[in-house]
Amino acid sequence: MRRPLVAGNWKMHGTRTSVAELIKGLRQLALPTGVDVAVLPPCLYINQVIQGLDGKALAVGAQNCAVEPMQGALTGEIAASQLSDAGCTLVLVGHSERRQILGESDGVISRKFAAAQSCGLVPVLCVGETREQREAGKTLEVVGRQLGTVIEDLGVGAFSRAVVAYEPVWAIGTGLTASPEQAQEVHAAIRAQLAAENAEVARGVRLLYGGSVKAANAVELFGMPDIDGGLIGGASLNADEFGAICRAAGN
Ligand code: PEP
């Protein structure tokens, strides 16, 4: 039985004041015991969040890490070892905003995935197609290639200590959500691709759905057999809404 995971991606949002407010809201939440919950603040606020959530059963992660695992000469980047030192336990790799706006390639994302794991962090590999790719019937091909690069580079065994998040690009921050059936189809394909290499790894890996998840649509999405929780953007900036989504994952 896979334990659900709900992770809140705060993206590039927040100030010291708004982060303090959000921490206060998160501390007051009644979180379900059967669900792992994490928040991923901008790096600048990770210390504030870790200190503010001390004693609360909530993991803290980052939204990105450097291709090099250890500290060194790489201006502007943050190493996975530094994230680990700060108290992070997971990190996003390959978010579509980084693939699209910053041009991160599948190869670079594989390196970040490996860097994260080598420092004991759980990488959350984000995959997903654009609207044009979906309309051209290329969804499974695109997602299969994004996943396949990491399998080829690092071996399927790497997914025994990782999470995959399916996030259709057309659903991120747009208010459009994949239907539970659309999401399930891609999640099943991801699991099948992993199962073709190693059935046990495929059975154990958690597959999250992301893309305009709210309390109002979470129950239906999380009810699908291959959806093991969510990666939540906008809605994770509201503690009450985020709490309701976490409870939906516990149903
Ligand atoms: C995200 O950025 O990972 C995301 C899923 O965003 P949103 O929930 O706002 O669509």
Side-chain angles (χ1 to χ4, degrees):
M1 194 55 187
R2 295 180 295 271
R3 191 177 157 86
L5 167 65
V6 177
N9 172 16
W10 295 2
K11 311 197 190 202
M12 197 171 63
H13 291 289
T15 61
R16 278 186 297 170
T17 306
S18 72
V19 166
E21 276 299 307
L22 195 42
I23 290 170
K24 200 165 135 198
L26 291 170
R27 287 201 69 89
Q28 284 163 1
L29 290 179
L31 292 171
T33 48
V35 178
D36 288 337
V37 180
V39 290
L40 315 168
C43 273
L44 199 55
Y45 302 115
I46 282 172
N47 281 335
Q48 186 184 350
V49 173
I50 287 180
Q51 280 169 22
L53 292 177
D54 188 32
K56 188 87 184 161
L58 230 148
V60 178
Q63 301 167 18
N64 178 45
C65 66
V67 290
E68 294 297 337
M70 307 312 286
Q71 60 176 301
L74 194 43
T75 303
E77 288 293 274
I78 298 182
S81 58
Q82 294 172 308
L83 295 174
S84 171
D85 180 50
C88 290
T89 52
L90 68 166
V91 61
L92 296 185
V93 295
H95 191 280
S96 64
E97 286 153 12
R98 299 194 63 87
R99 290 181 189 264
Q100 295 213 304
I101 302 170
L102 302 173
E104 284 192 7
S105 66
D106 287 335
V108 159
I109 292 159
S110 255
R111 288 179 66 194
K112 292 184 175 194
F113 187 113
Q117 281 194 329
S118 75
C119 297
L121 299 177
V122 172
V124 179
L125 173 69
C126 303
V127 296
E129 83 289 1
T130 62
R131 186 167 55 82
E132 293 72 26
Q133 289 165 334
R134 174 162 282 269
E135 284 169 1
K138 295 205 155 93
T139 298
L140 298 185
E141 180 188 323
V142 169
V143 169
R145 191 180 59 238
Q146 292 168 340
L147 179 67
T149 303
V150 181
I151 300 175
E152 258 170 52
D153 290 350
L154 308 176
V156 71
F159 287 87
S160 59
R161 293 170 292 123
V163 171
V164 180
Y166 167 56
E167 299 205 300
V169 179
W170 49 270
I172 295 183
T174 58
L176 298 172
T177 313
S179 68
E181 294 72 24
Q182 282 174 320
Q184 168 59 26
E185 183 195 13
V186 181
H187 281 235
I190 292 171
R191 208 178 294 287
Q193 188 175 350
L194 293 165
E197 309 277 336
N198 185 318
E200 199 186 326
V201 169
R203 259 196 308 276
V205 70
R206 291 185 288 188
L207 307 181
L208 312 185
Y209 169 77
S212 299
V213 176
K214 309 178 236 357
N217 57 25
V219 172
E220 262 195 308
L221 285 160
F222 298 165
M224 302 310 278
D226 286 296
I227 300 183
D228 308 311
L231 180 55
I232 320 300
S236 70
L237 297 170
N238 177 314
D240 290 335
E241 181 79 9
F242 186 61
I245 295 169
C246 294
R247 286 191 290 280
N251 284 342

